Amino acid sequence: KQLHVVQAEAGAVLPPAGTAITLDGADVGEMRSSLNGTGLALLRLEAVAKTESDGKKLEAGGLALRVRRPDYAGPPPESGKA
């Protein structure tokens, strides 16, 4: 797992810290903090790779989340089991 910057789709307010994050119904991480529509989430690397390669959406508290990967982070990790 690794911390990633996340944003809610359509600019919605992010759920509180401790909220589970899922991908295809499986638990893949949790929200750690948020402020002004941007948050930090502890996510499984395989889940992040799947969102980038397959266009899958993460969900937390009924909201779709988008991972913001900084340019300096390099290519995403290889996709595996999420």
Side-chain angles (χ1 to χ4, degrees):
K1 290 186 177 183
Q2 189 176 51
L3 282 175
H4 290 274
V5 176
V6 294
Q7 289 184 314
E9 297 284 327
V13 175
L14 289 167
T19 301
I21 298 175
T22 61
L23 177 66
D24 293 334
D27 185 8
V28 295
E30 74 175 33
M31 286 296 302
R32 289 299 175 106
S33 67
S34 66
L35 180 66
N36 298 331
T38 301
L40 287 176
L42 186 63
L43 299 170
R44 291 179 54 104
L45 295 176
E46 298 88 1
V48 173
K50 198 169 223 183
T51 65
E52 293 175 345
S53 66
D54 299 346
K56 301 269 186 177
K57 297 285 184 185
L58 297 171
E59 293 186 3
L63 297 172
L65 300 180
R66 178 180 65 223
V67 177
R68 282 189 31 215
R69 193 170 178 79
D71 293 337
Y72 63 80
E78 292 296 320
S79 182
K81 291 189 277 182

